[in-house]
Amino acid sequence: MKRFLGFVRILGMVLGLYGQVAQAASYPYGVAVDSSGNVYVADTNNNRIQKFNSNGTFITKWGSYGTGDGQFNSPHGVAIDSSGNVYVADTNNNRIQKFNSNGTFITKWGSKGTGDGQFDDPWGVAIDSSGNVYVADTCNYRIQKFNSIGTFITKWGVGGGQSEGPYGVAVDSSGNVYVADTFNHRIQKFNSSGTFITTWGSWGSGDGKFCFPYGVAVDSSGNVYVADTGNYRIQKFNSSGTFITKWGSKGDGDGQFWYSYGVAVDSSGNVYVADTENGRIQKFNSSGTFITKWEVVVTNNNNVKVYPNPYKKNDPRFGEDTIWFGNVSENAVIKVYNITGELVKKIDVTQSPQPWDILNENIASGVYIYTVTGGGGGKSVGKIGIVK
């Protein structure tokens, strides 16, 4: 798994450098809401943060690919404190960056390593009512706690050394910390010092079971919302882990998801979901009734969506070895080229989404360009990352 994540890190750097090619789509992984209802999105593949109002109207954005202040390398997590400051888990730069609500850089901390205040692919970040910062230090299998300027306070382990570590983290009004222990298919709850309180969940698709849960959020009443990524749904629990309700299924319709990684709750109890592979944010009430949605992707001219992207052979998060082309018209033609311009695959579209069985294709790892033409949809161009 470490080897895979290292390769994905390299691929992410390549995708970042190609980020302006063909107006490629982005993938929102993290989402957070401030006290005014503004929504902040970690627009991961475009290496930036986007800010919207509660209805999805664009306000501002900041960030680009790089290692400088205010630059990012695959940011996955975002959180807001009570003053409106924005904290970003700058994953592949192994650091946390702090900004004001308009994106002005304030400070940063972290570097790659295993020491206190160092990180190895941090994904999740959360803030408590006192301004303390909790970081899901994913590949170090632990949570680290800091004050608001990055001074280290404490740390504790998560995941029992099995498979991968924690990806999502959230804090309730009492300071209890909830962790999405993703590859162990469970939620763990700790107090603010890291003392274990309880856990719930196991592998499966029933109520209270999970398939690679990546995101977790807590509302003002202490209810816990989990992005049950591999089951294409959101599950809601009370603070002790008792199941309350669920919603979602696989697809791109309203209230459907295609690998949702992030979840956040506003002060009114509305739930915002980073519907990652569909390239959008969906908004629901606290019972899961759909309210609205908006796209975070930089789309091509007929809004083709490709998922999973990047594709990873035998990736357990997806459970299949198929690349799907969504929003394509019947009778269109998909062509895939390597970066030297050589045609490597031609697909005649017969349905939408159109599957491409990649497992048995003699195609090497790399970045590929696709075009979609015909079928009354004009021409679209985008990129695909393939890891075999």
Side-chain angles (χ1 to χ4, degrees):
M1 181 59 68
K2 282 269 193 173
R3 183 178 299 173
F4 161 57
L5 286 173
F7 192 82
V8 168
R9 185 183 304 116
I10 295 171
L11 178 60
M13 294 172 63
V14 173
L15 292 178
L17 292 170
Y18 280 84
Q20 301 304 315
V21 176
Q23 298 187 86
S26 63
Y27 294 86
Y29 277 80
V31 60
V33 189
D34 67 19
S35 59
S36 300
N38 297 307
V39 181
Y40 300 77
V41 178
D43 185 5
T44 302
N45 279 11
N46 278 325
N47 297 295
R48 64 187 179 186
I49 300 299
Q50 293 201 58
K51 179 180 178 180
F52 304 86
N53 71 13
S54 60
N55 294 316
T57 301
F58 175 79
I59 298 175
T60 191
K61 64 184 177 182
W62 68 90
S64 61
Y65 174 78
T67 60
D69 295 345
Q71 292 186 308
F72 304 109
N73 187 352
S74 296
H76 281 83
V78 59
I80 318 297
D81 68 18
S82 59
S83 299
N85 297 307
V86 183
Y87 298 76
V88 180
D90 187 8
T91 305
N92 287 353
N93 281 327
N94 293 294
R95 65 185 180 182
I96 301 297
Q97 293 198 65
K98 179 180 177 179
F99 306 86
N100 71 13
S101 60
N102 295 317
T104 301
F105 175 82
I106 297 175
T107 191
K108 65 186 176 184
W109 67 90
S111 61
K112 185 175 178 61
T114 60
D116 296 345
Q118 293 186 305
F119 306 109
D120 191 353
D121 287 336
W123 269 57
V125 59
I127 317 296
D128 67 19
S129 58
S130 299
N132 296 307
V133 183
Y134 300 79
V135 180
D137 187 9
T138 303
C139 290
N140 281 326
Y141 316 109
R142 64 187 182 183
I143 300 297
Q144 292 199 66
K145 179 179 178 181
F146 305 87
N147 68 14
S148 61
I149 59 173
T151 302
F152 175 81
I153 297 174
T154 190
K155 64 186 176 185
W156 65 89
V158 175
Q162 302 175 34
S163 189
E164 273 312 303
Y167 281 79
V169 60
V171 188
D172 67 19
S173 58
S174 299
N176 297 307
V177 181
Y178 299 80
V179 177
D181 186 6
T182 304
F183 280 74
N184 285 320
H185 313 289
R186 65 186 178 184
I187 300 299
Q188 293 199 61
K189 180 179 178 180
F190 305 85
N191 71 13
S192 60
S193 299
T195 300
F196 175 79
I197 298 175
T198 191
T199 185
W200 70 89
S202 60
W203 167 270
S205 58
D207 295 346
K209 294 188 176 184
F210 304 110
C211 179
F212 301 102
Y214 274 81
V216 60
V218 187
D219 67 19
S220 57
S221 299
N223 296 306
V224 182
Y225 299 80
V226 179
D228 187 7
T229 308
N231 281 324
Y232 311 98
R233 65 186 181 184
I234 300 297
Q235 293 198 67
K236 179 180 178 180
F237 305 86
N238 69 14
S239 59
S240 299
T242 300
F243 174 81
I244 297 175
T245 191
K246 65 185 176 185
W247 66 90
S249 61
K250 184 177 182 179
D252 57 11
D254 295 346
Q256 294 185 308
F257 307 109
W258 205 286
Y259 303 115
S260 54
Y261 284 83
V263 61
V265 188
D266 67 19
S267 58
S268 299
N270 297 306
V271 182
Y272 300 80
V273 180
D275 187 10
T276 305
E277 295 292 335
N278 279 326
R280 65 187 181 182
I281 301 298
Q282 293 197 65
K283 180 180 178 180
F284 305 86
N285 70 14
S286 60
S287 299
T289 301
F290 175 81
I291 298 176
T292 191
K293 65 185 177 185
W294 64 90
E295 292 196 341
V296 183
V297 296
V298 182
T299 58
N300 48 44
N301 63 354
N302 78 340
N303 199 24
V304 172
K305 297 175 182 175
V306 181
Y307 38 83
N309 191 5
Y311 159 85
K312 166 66 173 67
K313 180 180 178 182
N314 296 327
D315 189 337
R317 294 175 295 171
F318 304 121
E320 57 187 350
D321 285 292
T322 303
I323 293 176
W324 297 85
F325 293 85
N327 289 351
V328 292
S329 303
E330 288 190 22
N331 301 317
V333 177
I334 300 168
K335 293 182 180 180
V336 181
Y337 302 85
N338 62 25
I339 58 175
T340 68
E342 178 186 2
L343 178 67
V344 298
K345 183 66 178 181
K346 177 183 176 184
I347 303 169
D348 294 317
V349 176
T350 59
Q351 65 183 73
S352 183
Q354 174 66 41
W356 177 21
D357 182 7
I358 186 69
L359 180 61
N360 298 315
E361 297 279 359
N362 186 24
I363 293 179
S365 297
V367 177
Y368 292 81
I369 304 299
Y370 70 83
T371 64
V372 182
T373 56
K379 183 175 182 178
S380 298
V381 183
K383 69 176 184 290
I384 308 172
I386 295 177
V387 183
K388 282 191 168 182

